[in-house]
Amino acid sequence: MSGSGAGLGARRVGAFLLPLVLAGCAGRQSALNAAGEDAAAIAQLWWVLLIGAVVLWLAMNGAFFYLSRIAKGRFPEAWTRPLLIGGGIVFPTALLAGLLVWGLGLLPDQRQPGDGLRVRVTGEQWWWRVEYWPEGADQPIVSANEIRLPAGERTEFLLDSDRVIHSFWIPALGGKMDMFPGRETFLSLRPEKPGTYRGQCAEFCGASHAWMAFEAVVMPPEAFDDWLRAEARPAVPAESAAARRGAALFRSEGCGACHTVRGTAAVGQVGPDLTHVGSRLSLGAGRLGATLDDYRMWVEHTGALKPEVRMPAYSHLSDAQLDDLARYLKGLK
Ligand code: CUA
C-alpha cells in the first residue's frame, strides 16, 4: 500500500472510530452526562482540568515553536535561562498547583450529610446487597442489585464489602468510593434528574468484576416513597398455575437456603433478596435484562453468564420447569 493510501486508511479508521469513542462520553453511564449535584461538580472539574491542560500545552509548545522556528535568533542568548525556568518550571507549577488546590476544595462536597435516607450497600461476589434505612427506621428494607433514589434529596451511602475490595460508582450521579471488608466508607449523593442510570463496580474484584453492575433509578420523591413502601411489603403469592409450580420448585430445589423471599419459608442470606425481584430492571447484577427469557437463561446458565459466581446453574431442570420457575420469579413484583 502506498504512503497516501495508508494515510487515507488511517483517516477512514479514525472517522469510523471517533464517533464510537465520543459515544462513550454520553449516555447513562457517563460522568459527563451529569444527573446530580455531585456529578455536575466532577464534570466541571474535568472540563476545567482539560482546559487548563490544553492552555498549558498550547502556551508552552507555542512559545517553543515561535522561539525556535519563527523568531529564531531574534532574542538575545541571555533570555534563554529565564525563559526556560519561567516557562518550564514556574508557569506550569503555578497553574497546576492552582488547579490542584481548587480540585481538592471540591472533595468535602462529596461527603455532605444527607436529608434522612441512608442506604447501606455491601459488595458481594459479584452482586450488591442493598438495605434502605429511612429516617427513624429500626430495621432496613432489604433489596439487591438495584438502587432507587429520590430526586432532589441527598442520600447517605454506607459502604462495605464481604471479602475483597469493590468500588461503588454511579458515574451520572457522582464520584466513586471504595468498599472494604471490615471498614465502612461513606458517600453522599444528591441526584437531580429522574431517570435510569447505570452503576458499575470500579475496582477489579475477580473473574466477574466487569459483570458487577446495577441499575440506578432516580424517581420523583412521592414515587420513590410509594416504591419504598411496596418494597417493604412481603412477597405477593404466586397467582397462575405455572407460577405456583415454580414456587414449589423454588422450595424443592433448595433455593431458599441462599435467597430470602419475605413472607415465605425462604430466608437464606447468602444470595440476593428476591422478595421483589420481578420488579427489578436487570438480573444477575446488571448481567441480563428482565424478560422471562432472561430469567430462564440466568437459572440455566448462571456460571457461564457470570464466571465463578457462587450460585450453581440449574441446567438439570427441564424447559417446562425453567419456564415455571421464571414465571414465579418474574411474578415477585
Ligand atoms: Cu466488584 Cu469489581
Side-chain angles (χ1 to χ4, degrees):
M1 193 186 265
S2 72
S4 67
L8 192 63
R11 273 202 298 278
R12 280 204 186 127
V13 170
F16 174 71
L17 284 179
L18 189 64
L20 288 181
V21 170
L22 291 179
C25 298
R28 63 200 201 95
Q29 195 181 310
S30 169
L32 297 181
N33 182 28
E37 192 181 307
D38 313 273
I42 291 171
Q44 189 192 31
L45 172 71
W46 191 85
W47 285 111
V48 171
L49 288 182
L50 177 71
I51 292 165
V54 169
V55 167
L56 183 61
W57 191 89
L58 285 177
M60 292 320 301
N61 285 286
F64 182 74
F65 186 77
Y66 179 75
L67 292 173
S68 63
R69 299 289 170 88
I70 299 173
K72 201 174 176 186
R74 227 186 282 170
F75 292 92
E77 282 278 320
W79 287 27
T80 315
R81 186 179 289 266
L83 267 176
L84 278 177
I85 292 174
I89 299 175
V90 178
F91 175 53
T93 305
L95 181 66
L96 294 176
L99 288 173
L100 178 68
V101 167
W102 177 72
L104 289 176
L106 294 178
L107 282 180
D109 291 350
Q110 315 294 309
R111 301 181 56 82
Q112 294 174 60
D115 292 325
L117 176 65
R118 297 185 135 198
V119 182
R120 175 182 293 279
V121 186
T122 308
E124 304 275 346
Q125 188 177 334
W126 287 275
W127 59 279
W128 313 85
R129 192 185 295 273
V130 183
E131 296 171 352
Y132 295 85
W133 292 85
E135 201 163 16
D138 51 7
Q139 56 176 16
I141 298 160
V142 181
S143 186
N145 296 334
E146 186 168 289
I147 287 170
R148 299 203 174 220
L149 297 171
E153 288 173 27
R154 184 163 284 279
T155 298
E156 293 183 359
F157 289 89
L158 305 171
L159 307 168
D160 63 9
S161 165
D162 69 334
R163 297 203 283 182
V164 299
I165 301 177
H166 303 272
S167 182
F168 179 82
W169 194 25
I170 311 171
L173 300 186
K176 64 184 80 153
M177 181 58 73
D178 278 358
M179 312 169 94
F180 304 97
R183 189 192 133 189
E184 192 175 79
T185 49
F186 177 87
L187 172 77
S188 79
L189 295 174
R190 185 173 176 275
E192 283 162 333
K193 265 194 265 173
T196 303
Y197 309 97
R198 192 170 186 274
Q200 167 68 46
C201 179
E203 176 80 38
F204 181 73
C205 53
S208 284
H209 153 71
W211 295 123
M212 186 171 173
F214 59 92
E215 302 289 322
V217 184
V218 177
M219 311 171 85
E222 311 76 49
F224 173 81
D225 291 342
D226 291 347
W227 172 82
L228 194 59
R229 267 193 294 277
E231 193 73 6
R233 284 197 277 270
V236 293
E239 276 181 9
S240 68
R244 280 200 296 275
R245 286 195 301 271
L249 263 175
F250 190 89
R251 283 191 295 275
S252 62
E253 291 292 327
C255 306
C258 289
H259 295 285
T260 291
V261 179
R262 292 196 307 274
T264 75
V267 291
Q269 293 294 316
V270 179
D273 185 295
L274 299 179
T275 307
H276 299 290
V277 67
S279 64
R280 290 184 205 143
L281 301 173
S282 76
L283 264 188
R287 179 64 183 89
L288 295 173
T291 64
L292 274 177
D293 271 342
D294 290 324
Y295 278 85
R296 274 192 295 261
M297 199 151 42
W298 176 255
V299 173
E300 192 180 2
H301 303 292
T302 324
L305 288 162
K306 186 168 272 204
E308 293 181 20
V309 70
R310 295 175 76 186
M311 174 175 158
Y314 285 76
S315 46
H316 59 280
L317 298 179
S318 70
D319 283 352
Q321 287 176 314
L322 286 167
D323 194 64
D324 291 343
L325 202 47
R327 282 176 197 282
Y328 168 59
L329 293 170
K330 180 80 181 150
L332 293 173
K333 300 279 187 192

